[in-house]
Amino acid sequence: MPVDSFNRNIDYLRISVIDNCNLRCVYCMPLDGLQFLPRAELLTAEEIERVVRAAVRVGFRKFRLTGGEPTLRADLVEIVERLRAIDGVGDLALTTNALLLNKLARPLKAAGLKRINVHLDSLRPETLERQMRWGNFARIWDGILAAEDAGLTPIKLNVVVAAGYNEAEVVELAQLTVERDWHVRFIELMPLGGGECARLSIKRYVSNIATRRRIESALGPLAELAAANPADEARNYRLPGARGVVGFISPVSEPYCGNCNRMRLTADGKFHLCLLNDDELDVRKALRAPSLDGGIEEVGAILLRAVATKPTGHHLLEGRSTRERSMYQIGG
Ligand code: SAM
Ligand code: SF4
């Protein structure tokens, strides 16, 4: 398994397959001024497969497809099929807003996808439409149920908590775990990209300390669960008598850089070394240059270089984050 210069085992690759999205969440994508990658700049399904072959060869085992909104890729099922067929791919998951999942859940499961994380900020249609702009609660909910029905489990819901939007609704979201064996994870806002979404993310930030307090005062004490995997970015708890899990992902109030096991691949073929830092290494050139093995050897070497130069520690509290890339361009 690749080990970085801070002695962290890096074996998890998050693959962004597209930068476009069918939503405009207030902290992620502005309504105006967006420019998406032209199709020719996106890695093809076959190129993504070659990157994963190279990654497996150097010791990566966990993979996640993300975006933008990955379900907008017409060839998403084909991408899953290609990756599933590679020996050494252990975990294969998807992060999605679930708007298109109703139709896609079964084909994705049949193609070999193991599980999904769904982004859902509210159970109230009005709040959801205000925070996840262009969203539709009923369609997202149908998508989640379709995924559960198809066996894409455990279902994990990602809730980004924003002051003046959904902060008071965290109680009803946590309460979902009483009846359902789902994970409901509350995520602290992070400013990325330096634009209006970054400014909103700073202004509307809610610490998970406050979110946890709100949940406990309404629903009772949360019992901490032992970490199944030390690299899990969520700290997990259970409500009294609950079937599911309440998780807190707290990059700002409780950074987890010391346990980071991730590398990221952007949709235009760059290894992005740390979510909260602009450093990248290009891999598309190697994939598109003529070579006998499709560039797999070269891509593996670039990936090992990316691991060796991966930074640690972020500077969110000093107001520093990425300037070049926003969340939808990296994949979360
Ligand atoms: N469109 C998919 C989705 O929303 O799940 C996948 C891509 S999205 C960029 C991945 C994750 O990033 C989502 O769970 C979303 O909640 C999270 N996210 C986006 N902007 C964020 C921000 N400013 N701070 C914290 N999390 C953010
Ligand atoms: Fe789209 Fe996901 Fe960003 Fe929302 S968080 S705008 S669903 S990419």
Side-chain angles (χ1 to χ4, degrees):
M1 189 188 303
V3 178
D4 77 355
S5 55
F6 302 95
N7 220 19
R8 297 174 296 188
N9 295 323
I10 313 295
D11 68 345
Y12 174 22
L13 184 63
R14 296 176 62 100
I15 302 168
S16 172
V17 294
I18 192 166
D19 59 343
N20 205 337
C21 186
N22 44 4
L23 295 187
R24 293 290 182 273
C25 300
V26 287
Y27 41 72
C28 183
M29 289 175 93
L31 293 175
D32 301 312
L34 289 164
Q35 271 200 321
F36 298 111
L37 291 164
R39 203 192 170 115
E41 291 197 20
L42 294 176
L43 295 190
T44 65
E46 190 272 332
E47 287 168 340
I48 293 170
E49 177 188 338
R50 273 189 277 144
V51 175
V52 172
R53 285 193 184 279
V56 164
R57 209 185 265 189
V58 301
F60 278 70
R61 291 291 172 263
K62 283 184 64 181
F63 298 87
R64 173 176 297 276
L65 303 173
T66 176
E69 178 44 45
T71 57
L72 292 186
R73 277 280 293 235
D75 56 357
L76 183 65
V77 171
E78 178 195 338
I79 294 172
V80 170
E81 270 166 2
R82 284 176 177 270
L83 303 196
R84 188 72 270 166
I86 300 171
D87 255 357
V89 168
D91 200 16
L92 182 57
L94 174 77
T95 298
T96 173
N97 63 33
L99 267 181
L100 301 176
L101 211 54
N102 196 350
K103 283 216 170 74
L104 272 170
R106 282 198 177 273
L108 285 169
K109 176 71 182 179
L113 188 72
K114 288 208 166 155
R115 57 197 182 88
I116 52 153
N117 288 15
V118 174
H119 175 193
L120 177 76
D121 287 341
S122 172
L123 300 176
R124 302 186 194 188
E126 324 79 68
T127 312
L128 185 127
E129 281 164 32
R130 200 171 146 243
Q131 185 163 341
M132 299 175 78
R133 292 176 297 204
W134 306 356
N136 176 307
F137 175 76
R139 272 179 70 191
I140 294 179
W141 192 254
D142 279 355
I144 297 168
L145 296 183
E148 186 176 43
D149 202 42
L152 291 169
T153 52
I155 300 284
K156 294 190 181 178
L157 303 186
N158 288 339
V159 182
V160 182
V161 183
Y165 287 87
N166 63 347
E167 71 185 315
E169 298 172 26
V170 295
V171 172
E172 60 210 45
L173 284 153
Q175 199 158 18
L176 278 179
T177 66
V178 174
E179 298 293 331
R180 303 174 190 266
D181 60 355
W182 296 356
H183 293 227
V184 176
R185 297 133 42 101
F186 298 97
I187 304 179
E188 290 180 344
L189 277 169
M190 288 171 269
L192 269 85
E196 72 180 68
C197 294
R199 287 191 291 280
L200 183 140
S201 298
I202 293 169
K203 191 165 155 221
R204 303 287 182 160
Y205 169 79
V206 180
S207 155
N208 265 340
I209 299 166
T211 295
R212 179 174 170 183
R213 204 177 297 131
R214 199 185 274 272
I215 292 169
E216 289 193 303
S217 44
L219 301 175
L222 284 160
E224 184 155 12
L225 304 174
N229 169 5
D232 188 355
E233 77 278 34
R235 284 186 67 171
N236 293 321
Y237 299 81
R238 206 182 293 282
L239 281 167
R243 295 178 63 206
V245 171
V246 173
F248 296 96
I249 300 178
S250 316
V252 182
S253 68
E254 210 176 333
Y256 38 81
C257 304
N259 290 327
C260 183
N261 64 343
R262 296 151 183 232
M263 184 53 66
R264 293 173 168 84
L265 177 68
T266 63
D268 55 348
K270 313 264 193 277
F271 286 129
H272 187 94
L273 310 193
C274 160
L275 177 62
L276 297 165
N277 183 304
D278 278 316
D279 297 345
E280 293 184 345
L281 288 181
D282 182 66
V283 76
R284 197 177 60 198
K285 206 154 40 168
L287 287 167
R288 296 191 176 172
S291 74
L292 282 178
D293 71 341
I296 291 181
E297 181 96 24
E298 171 72 5
V299 172
I302 297 170
L303 181 49
L304 288 178
R305 217 153 54 234
V307 168
T309 48
K310 184 176 160 62
T312 190
H314 63 63
H315 301 280
L316 291 178
L317 294 174
E318 299 109 78
R320 273 192 289 139
S321 174
T322 59
R323 307 293 306 175
E324 308 293 328
R325 296 275 201 180
S326 295
M327 194 66 107
Y328 68 93
Q329 296 167 312
I330 305 173

